[in-house]
Amino acid sequence: MKVKQYGKIFCNLLWRDLVVLKSSIVREMINTAFWICLTIFVYAYLMPQLCAGGTFGMFVLVGSIPCIMLFKAVNKAAELVADLGGRQSFLYYFTTPLPYWLIFIRRAFSIALYTIPLSLLMFLIGGVLIWDQMDFSNASILKFIPIFLASNFLVGFCSLWFASWIEKIGDIEAAWFRYVFPCWWLGGYLFSWETFNLNFPLIAKINLINPILYTIEGIRASIIGQEGQINYWICLGMVCLFTIIIAIRAIVLFKRRLDCV
Amino acid sequence: MADTLISIKNLSKIYNSKEGSIKALDNISLDIHAGEIFGLLGVNGAGKTTLSTILAAFHPLTSGDILYNGISIYKDIPSYRYIVSYCPQTPNLDEELTIEQNLLFAGRYFGMPEDEVQKRTKELLDYFEFSLYAHRKQDVLSGGYARRLLFARAIMHKPKLVILDEPTVGLDPHVRHGLWDIIRMLKKQGVTVILTTHYLDEAEVLSDRICILDKGKIKLIDSPEKLKTEYKKGNLEDVFIELMKEDVLACDHEDGLPEEEENEG
């Protein structure tokens, strides 16, 4: 009975998020299109003229999907931090008949709902821009869907975790420089983990604690193919494991921060 | 004797931080009767907002219990939240939604059937005079109207208990009086209201009973009329000043500092 009741309220909260997303999706898409168009121009057209291989554009485009999710998620964390420091509309949800942990989970789901269409649309736009370089001969939609969805939920909880410890909006820089930048840059956005491991084995092994690495490698494995990437199933498992760890940590920290019941 | 809706038993709240512990509420026990307007008064830091947020089941208590119809609310907090509503001091409306959507979703969050959600929203939009602006974002509203919308959202799911934290702070007198009418309307509908306020005139005209908190403890609970009679004062403000004076004198005695010595400074 309770599960049904909570489920209904949870769905209504997500419905609210979709209503909000509908009104802002065009603006968000235009913003993100700048990133993807410039990325495609540099890595698919400019870099091959210098030294990179002809398929480098597709390699980077696929690796960009989790990065777009991550950047959007950090913006959402900043929004939440600003809200908590100001009007506190987020706190209203703690007066609804839901347990506190579900309200936090809903926030992460809400971010995933927001990053799913944006990152997917950006991938499609990027794909059209480098259509002649795209090779889907090793792609598997059945592999892509789970890793794509799991990656979105992972960044949703990452966003919640950032917001759980960033005290004020000015401190968002700490999240960017200490976590987002290393995770993004070492996550294999421009190179595979295998290449990294061949050249810097120690750092590459330390980098295995980077959750974004598994999202990038897993999505690449599902679109470009398994060769040269970390095993797809390991990636999917690690993304799920990191999601659970980060979710628990974020909920514990947030509960302590808000002192909610 | 009036029916007890909420019973607070030996409630204490301690905030722990790196700097140390602060006892915000100290062993508070009181009953809130069904259908009354219960005024919570006190100087800044007296513990009014802390008590309000604990009653709204937002913050946890450190010790003690809160009973609703004789059963601890902590046995099933989500169920308790169906009967309670909390209006914070700063309107925390959903700025991404329109005025109408703020109400619609408030009803849905509380599991109301969709036809009832639509009906109740229309009813409240009309009553609170929002019909013309229903499809606009709430940021077009002035402070007073934002507070009205907050009230409307709070009563959307027909709660039995509404907690209003400083509902009229910073508003013009005519807007305040408009909100007083709404509070009276809630009482007429049988809703219990806990009114936290700094305005003693507001507490006097609206409250059936008043609780004065001081440093996290209950100083007294009584009706405004009885207090005025007991202290032989014409209004609640004079009673409050008298009480605070007593407190200052008591503190001076405890410190052992006669007034003359202090003045020599």
Side-chain angles (χ1 to χ4, degrees):
Chain A
M1 191 61 194
K2 282 267 183 208
V3 174
K4 198 179 164 191
Q5 179 189 317
Y6 292 164
K8 195 178 169 191
I9 301 167
F10 195 86
C11 289
N12 276 315
L13 285 163
L14 293 182
W15 180 9
R16 175 256 171 221
D17 297 328
L18 286 174
V19 168
V20 173
L21 179 66
K22 195 181 143 200
S23 65
S24 64
I25 188 89
V26 174
R27 189 187 66 226
E28 297 284 355
M29 276 177 60
I30 292 169
N31 294 344
T32 318
F34 276 95
W35 152 279
I36 207 73
C37 290
L38 285 172
T39 301
I40 292 299
F41 169 71
V42 171
Y43 292 112
Y45 294 102
L46 185 61
M47 291 296 281
Q49 302 291 323
L50 303 174
C51 58
T55 56
F56 196 50
M58 180 174 177
F59 183 85
V60 174
L61 172 66
V62 176
S64 300
I65 301 173
C67 302
I68 291 167
M69 295 173 197
L70 186 63
F71 295 165
K72 292 282 175 191
V74 180
N75 285 350
K76 285 285 170 189
E79 268 179 29
L80 183 53
V81 172
D83 178 73
L84 292 174
R87 57 191 303 123
Q88 301 190 323
S89 52
F90 183 61
L91 301 188
Y92 169 66
Y93 302 118
F94 293 90
T95 63
T96 59
L98 272 187
Y100 72 89
W101 51 271
L102 260 180
I103 294 162
F104 291 127
I105 290 175
R106 169 260 162 177
R107 174 74 193 179
F109 272 52
S110 157
I111 293 160
L113 265 185
Y114 164 83
T115 56
I116 285 170
L118 281 173
S119 51
L120 203 56
L121 280 166
M122 288 310 112
F123 176 61
L124 294 176
I125 291 172
V128 170
L129 291 175
I130 51 164
W131 186 251
D132 55 331
Q133 294 180 25
M134 298 295 274
D135 175 10
F136 291 108
S137 55
N138 294 314
S140 163
I141 191 79
L142 291 177
K143 280 186 173 179
F144 174 72
I145 291 170
I147 190 77
F148 176 72
L149 293 178
S151 301
N152 278 284
F153 287 113
L154 171 69
V155 295
F157 282 105
C158 284
S159 173
L160 189 71
W161 177 67
F162 288 137
S164 71
W165 57 263
I166 298 169
E167 296 273 328
K168 50 187 191 296
I169 192 71
D171 296 340
I172 197 81
E173 194 179 74
W176 273 109
F177 287 115
R178 292 182 200 179
Y179 298 98
V180 178
F181 186 68
C183 285
W184 167 47
W185 209 233
L186 294 177
Y189 165 60
L190 295 175
F191 46 82
S192 70
W193 184 80
E194 200 177 86
T195 316
F196 193 5
N197 192 38
L198 281 174
N199 293 286
F200 300 96
L202 179 65
I203 304 172
K205 282 179 181 71
I206 294 170
N207 194 35
L208 288 172
I209 58 167
N210 177 357
I212 299 303
L213 170 75
Y214 300 101
T215 63
I216 293 176
E217 291 271 324
I219 290 177
R220 275 206 191 112
S222 70
I223 295 177
I224 296 174
Q226 187 58 73
E227 199 186 334
Q229 326 293 336
I230 298 174
N231 181 279
Y232 169 83
W233 297 106
I234 291 175
C235 291
L236 186 60
M238 290 304 282
V239 168
C240 294
L241 181 67
F242 273 113
T243 303
I244 293 166
I245 293 169
I246 293 169
I248 292 170
R249 185 69 186 143
I251 292 170
V252 168
L253 283 178
F254 234 133
K255 184 183 186 309
R256 196 182 301 159
R257 176 177 178 174
L258 299 181
D259 190 29
C260 55
V261 61
Chain B
M1 196 178 148
D3 291 339
T4 300
L5 184 77
I6 298 285
S7 202
I8 300 169
K9 306 278 185 201
N10 310 110
L11 189 157
S12 292
K13 174 69 182 176
I14 299 169
Y15 288 111
N16 293 311
S17 67
K18 284 172 194 164
E19 289 80 30
S21 298
I22 299 165
K23 202 163 198 176
L25 293 171
D26 190 0
N27 204 31
I28 282 182
S29 292
L30 62 94
D31 288 341
I32 293 159
H33 303 151
E36 74 172 340
I37 298 181
F38 188 80
L40 265 180
L41 297 177
V43 294
N44 286 331
K48 304 184 298 290
T49 298
T50 302
L51 182 56
S52 301
T53 53
I54 290 173
L55 279 170
F58 175 64
H59 288 312
L61 41 71
T62 307
S63 63
D65 206 353
I66 298 171
L67 310 179
Y68 165 62
N69 283 341
I71 299 164
S72 172
I73 64 164
Y74 297 102
K75 284 192 174 161
D76 187 358
I77 287 177
S79 295
Y80 170 69
R81 288 192 181 132
Y82 280 103
I83 68 111
V84 69
S85 200
Y86 176 64
C87 281
Q89 198 173 325
T90 313
N92 62 351
L93 296 158
D94 194 329
E95 61 182 344
E96 310 274 4
L97 299 179
T98 64
I99 291 166
E100 185 184 41
Q101 286 169 338
N102 261 282
L103 298 180
L104 287 170
F105 278 103
R108 289 168 188 150
Y109 298 155
F110 283 86
M112 290 169 75
E114 190 56 29
D115 53 343
E116 204 183 317
V117 167
Q118 299 290 342
K119 197 179 145 206
R120 179 84 172 142
T121 301
K122 195 180 175 316
E123 195 180 295
L124 290 174
L125 286 173
D126 290 342
Y127 182 83
F128 285 89
E129 298 164 13
F130 286 125
S131 299
L132 285 175
Y133 315 99
H135 300 293
R136 297 186 69 175
K137 291 267 175 79
Q138 54 82 33
D139 54 11
V140 299
L141 299 174
S142 65
Y145 269 83
R147 210 61 67 85
R148 285 168 76 95
L149 181 58
L150 199 65
F151 274 36
R153 188 182 69 174
I155 59 171
M156 179 71 197
H157 66 284
K158 300 181 180 172
K160 288 183 182 170
L161 172 67
V162 175
I163 301 165
L164 306 172
D165 189 5
E166 308 275 3
T168 62
V169 74
L171 299 179
D172 293 335
H174 71 283
V175 182
R176 283 180 67 205
H177 283 262
L179 291 175
W180 290 3
D181 290 340
I182 295 167
I183 295 169
R184 288 191 187 105
M185 177 272 291
L186 291 177
K187 182 180 159 63
K188 267 186 200 163
Q189 292 178 353
V191 177
T192 307
V193 178
I194 295 177
L195 175 70
T196 297
T197 182
H198 266 112
Y199 298 120
L200 297 159
D201 58 333
E202 183 168 285
E204 187 177 343
V205 297
L206 292 174
S207 307
D208 297 305
R209 287 192 307 148
I210 279 165
C211 170
I212 298 181
L213 285 175
D214 186 32
K215 294 175 192 136
K217 290 184 176 178
I218 294 175
K219 200 146 179 75
L220 57 83
I221 302 177
D222 221 327
S223 69
E225 287 311 312
K226 279 187 185 167
L227 285 173
K228 284 190 281 185
T229 312
E230 190 181 326
Y231 284 84
K232 299 186 181 73
K233 301 286 179 191
N235 58 53
L236 195 62
E237 192 164 342
D238 292 338
V239 175
F240 190 79
I241 291 166
E242 183 73 27
L243 274 165
M244 291 300 120
K245 244 191 236 170
E246 280 176 13
D247 202 36
V248 170
L249 285 172
C251 280
D252 285 347
H253 279 291
E254 276 171 29
D255 293 345
L257 293 172
E259 250 176 85
E260 292 77 13
E261 273 182 42
E262 269 189 305
N263 293 338
E264 278 171 17

